Amino acid sequence: MKIVNTPEEVRKQVALWKKEGFSVGLVPTMGFLHEGHGSLIKKASEENDKVVVSVFVNPIQFGPSEDLASYPRDLKHDTELVSECGGDMIFSPSPSDMYCEDFCSFVDVENLTSGLCGAKRPGHFRGVCTVVTKLFNIVQPERAYFGQKDAQQLAVIKRMVRDLNVPVTIVPCPIVREADGLAKSSRNTYLSSEERKAAVILNKSLKKGLAALTSGERNAEVVKNIIKDTLNSEPLAKIDYVEIVDSSALAPVTNINSSILTAIAVYIGKTRLIDNFTFNL
Ligand code: PAF
């Protein structure tokens, strides 16, 4: 399995593959890979001849008080997981390989980024869209794979690709969960054992919200309150947001009569975790 660090090396290898008629899939990640990433890589390798996994902790999508410096990294483990799951190449650039000193071009998706995590993390999606655009331009994949756990990120990237005619098919992949329902995340590693137990409250609260919807509740405020009350029953949980939005425009809804995304962000101790479900009417 090849590990390369510069955009030039990626381009050279991908050009050779394309010359041989191979299709290329891309799985963009920030590393510290877990089974959730593994499922993306496996899907990508089923659907493409060659799979590139990017491992890059993208500095421009972190706010000044966020966890850029402490974000977990383990390239050795990542390499093993990528090769077990059928990946062909890791692209692991340094920040200076991706951003030259006078870098000043960014990709901004409006509207969809004003609520949910966008409201809490100013500049985050500008950083995500910029790095994803760069990765698309460097790798030039036919398909790119994103997890549904980051539901807003997925919606924003789909919109960017549509609006800017980017020739990449975005493939959404289901959330992978631990046995007790906690969504897999590289940030779960920050949790102490007490916090880890408390973190199941995210999935529990969403299940209660979903149960209300399936039994016919259509008032978004009522469903949100069911979720909030469940979260508030856990002393270690502090709600960042609980929102119900239209699944494509991500605009808040009051009466549920279309496909919706229910998304939450919750602090367990100092660790901010997100989770969601979609409900299609
Ligand atoms: O979801 C992530 O891990 C990151 O936001 C992404 C898409 C790799 C961009 O840095």
Side-chain angles (χ1 to χ4, degrees):
M1 231 252 320
K2 232 180 150 130
I3 304 182
V4 300
N5 304 115
T6 65
E8 293 70 30
E9 288 170 287
V10 179
R11 288 214 154 168
K12 216 166 144 189
Q13 180 59 68
V14 170
L16 290 174
W17 284 337
K18 294 212 166 171
K19 216 170 153 190
E20 292 186 58
F22 292 141
S23 60
V24 177
L26 169 67
V27 182
T29 82
M30 297 207 300
F32 211 70
L33 305 181
H34 50 68
E35 275 174 54
H37 298 110
S39 73
L40 308 183
I41 301 166
K42 282 182 192 156
K43 187 157 175 63
S45 72
E46 281 160 23
E47 296 182 350
N48 302 274
D49 300 312
K50 299 289 176 190
V51 174
V52 179
V53 178
S54 60
V55 172
F56 178 57
V57 183
N58 175 34
I60 68 164
Q61 70 186 71
F62 288 78
S65 60
E66 293 182 353
D67 55 345
L68 172 62
S70 59
Y71 197 85
R73 293 156 167 91
D74 187 349
L75 191 58
K76 187 173 172 288
H77 164 80
D78 292 347
T79 309
E80 284 161 13
L81 191 134
V82 171
S83 90
E84 274 163 30
C85 296
D88 298 281
M89 181 164 78
I90 291 183
F91 173 41
S92 172
S94 66
S96 62
D97 288 319
M98 290 296 272
Y99 301 112
C100 45
E101 256 173 49
D102 54 354
F103 184 90
C104 58
S105 307
F106 297 88
V107 181
D108 244 322
V109 173
E110 296 179 354
N111 303 339
L112 273 72
T113 56
S114 58
L116 307 175
C117 289
K120 305 287 176 171
R121 303 183 68 189
H124 170 68
F125 287 110
R126 183 189 201 230
V128 169
C129 289
T130 302
V131 81
V132 169
T133 302
K134 283 172 70 71
L135 291 168
F136 287 172
N137 286 334
I138 293 165
V139 180
Q140 302 188 358
E142 272 83 6
R143 295 173 203 85
Y145 295 77
F146 293 89
Q148 275 160 341
K149 184 171 81 73
D150 295 296
Q152 187 175 19
Q153 170 171 282
L154 178 60
V156 168
I157 289 170
K158 275 175 155 171
R159 184 62 66 93
M160 173 186 87
V161 161
R162 188 205 72 179
D163 287 356
L164 301 181
N165 307 93
V166 182
V168 177
T169 301
I170 302 302
V171 184
C173 300
I175 300 176
V176 178
R177 297 182 180 280
E178 303 287 354
D180 63 4
L182 177 65
K184 295 218 181 229
S185 164
S186 307
R187 289 190 167 101
N188 291 350
T189 184
Y190 297 150
L191 300 169
S192 68
S193 64
E194 196 194 354
E195 290 169 344
R196 171 63 190 80
K197 280 185 205 138
V200 294
I201 200 68
L202 276 85
N203 186 236
K204 262 194 197 158
S205 71
L206 288 176
K207 277 188 172 159
K208 288 210 176 161
L210 180 60
L213 283 165
T214 36
S215 54
E217 182 58 63
R218 293 291 173 266
N219 182 325
E221 212 48 45
V222 171
V223 179
K224 283 198 284 185
N225 284 335
I226 291 171
I227 296 171
K228 284 180 187 170
D229 288 347
T230 312
L231 289 167
N232 285 332
S233 71
E234 169 49 64
L236 294 183
K238 192 171 148 275
I239 297 173
D240 190 20
Y241 68 74
V242 172
E243 294 292 351
I244 298 186
V245 297
D246 163 85
S247 341
S248 60
L250 304 186
V253 298
T254 41
N255 293 313
I256 299 165
N257 51 22
S258 62
S259 293
I260 53 113
L261 167 73
T262 301
I264 62 177
V266 179
Y267 283 94
I268 301 289
K270 286 197 170 118
T271 306
R272 184 177 180 275
L273 301 175
I274 56 171
D275 202 346
N276 70 79
F277 68 82
T278 47
F279 182 73
N280 298 317
L281 272 181

